[in-house]
Amino acid sequence: MKSTQQNMTQTRRFTGMKKLTNTLLLASALLATYGANAGFQVSGTQLLDGNGNSFVMRGVNHAHAWYTNRTQQALADIASVEANTVRVVLADGQQWTRTSATEVANIIQWAKNNKLIAVLEVHDVTGSGEQGSAGTLYNATSYWIDIASTLQGQEDYVIINIANEPFGNGVPESSWIDGHIQAIQRIRNAGLTHTLMIDAANWGQDWQEVMLDNASTVAAADPRNNTMFSVHMYEVYQSRAKIEGYVSNFLSTHNLPLIVGEFGADHYGNNVDEDSILAVAEQYNIGYLGWSWSGNSSEVASLDIVNNWNVNSLSTWGDRLINGTNGIRATAEIASVFDGGGNSSSSVSSSSSSSVASSTPSSSSSSTSGGEQCNWYGTLYPLCTTTQSGWGWEQNRSCIARSNCSSQPAPYGIVGGGTASSSAPSSSSSSSVASSSSSSSSPASSSSSSATSGSSSCTYVVTNQWGNGFTGAIRITNKGNSAINGWSVNWNYTDGSRVTNSWNATVSGSNPYSASNVGWNAEIQPGQTVEFGFQGTKNSAQASVPTVSGSVCN
């Protein structure tokens, strides 16, 4: 969102895809200069918190830089409406009074006190290249380096959004690419290991699709493979087709996390399809942060979530965002670093753990010989064959270098095959990740099998569980020689378990359940695996592992 002091030149012209610039590939040895990952970590399209659990942002923006005396109470009020994240406007002194390191430390502590993850952003660069008063991305990056000692140690609780809407309209895409590559490198060289967030071009709305075309190029500059992206959805996004098209295209093209970092119900009197933004965010399991808590100027006063800073007086927009379908109260979950929840192994006692059964990799996947895969915090990925360190992209899918996977603590690491890492179990070892697969080798007490003809397989996996709840996933692997075009699967719980929400598939029914592909994951090439996830309730100590059926499973 542009500050209330700025006049924004909006345009709705769309252009075709831009040519990709040459990808910057850093030497893999650079990763070794950094210690073990701390705090939040990017894993495919997911953002994992410090316990290794998937975290989906559901929250709001707060303009601290202009309302410094409101922040402490505002964060308490934001938490009271059940948000799990607050994006906080800071200033580096290029346009507005510099937010001091002491202020930043207070903001972080106030957020932690209220169990809010803090996304911190520098606002002074907004619209650079078009807005004459805007600062530079280089100077914004220098701000993070200057306050590095305040940020270090807070990796579990803070995400660094390097700069708000750092480029306006008509700026060469190379400026967005090269500027962010330089920013990432400088921040990493300063020793900051936090997850980094990059805003889209075109005042954040990316109507020229600069970020959509080039996110992978920028992400490749991060030796920690820990960069995510944010698009701001205002009047460019007036239809479900436009919103879903952007989100699905980004996720399928880049396999990186995306959030809607700002949006509202309108913008300068122009309509925004907020209902579709909320629905698409829930369907694709991506985060969203509404703009903004309070204090917007008169021409955009409708974007105030609460009236006059009063949490008991929600605006029409605020009521929709907080209390409506797919809104904050219905979908937000507090980060597990606040509630004592561990990763999927520590959430369940070892005495009641289920067995791991790896989903069957195809012979053309990038897994190493013997069927080995990487159990990365409860999600299975292929091991890279050529990438020596960190995350890679081989056979059109994400993979993890053997060295990185084997360094993970038990029960994670390399699973399956004839040998296993000393830090991880083999396919018959104890873990909290339970599965049923057409090729499962786990005992009958913890899994069941569906028939297979060798052309494809379906695997049901329990990725986490607690009390009366669980999260799970179904993975469909194409083991044949031709592409699968469109798929659907079915499953049924016999113990009273029920699905409450899902992502990356269209799920219907109320036990039995059916799921079918969404647009971007309909096609499964030979050797590829697609996955969709869900959350549910259970009535027993251990989440059940039902058999998955459907023509694609045979």
Side-chain angles (χ1 to χ4, degrees), residues 17 176 206 209-215 245-246 249-250 253-254:
M17 299 290 284
W176 184 89
D206 208 30
E209 299 183 346
V210 173
M211 187 173 84
L212 184 61
D213 287 359
N214 298 290
Y246 188 95
N249 196 353
F250 184 96
T253 299
H254 301 292

Side-chain angles (χ1 to χ4, degrees), residues 112-190:
K112 290 165 66 175
N113 291 346
N114 289 287
K115 298 185 178 182
L116 292 168
I117 296 301
V119 177
L120 305 179
E121 58 101 339
V122 168
H123 216 80
D124 303 64
V125 195
T126 305
S128 65
E130 182 180 0
Q131 179 69 36
S133 60
T136 67
L137 181 56
Y138 185 92
N139 287 343
T141 305
S142 297
Y143 174 81
W144 299 116
I145 296 170
D146 290 344
I147 66 168
S149 61
T150 300
L151 301 170
Q152 287 166 334
Q154 303 299 330
E155 294 85 357
D156 277 346
Y157 308 101
V158 171
I159 291 170
I160 299 174
N161 189 177
I162 299 176
N164 179 71
E165 301 176 1
F167 294 99
N169 297 317
V171 179
E173 66 178 15
S174 60
S175 298
W176 184 89
I177 297 167
D178 297 341
H180 283 110
I181 287 174
Q182 180 187 55
I184 290 169
Q185 293 173 338
R186 292 181 66 210
I187 288 171
R188 293 305 187 216
N189 289 337

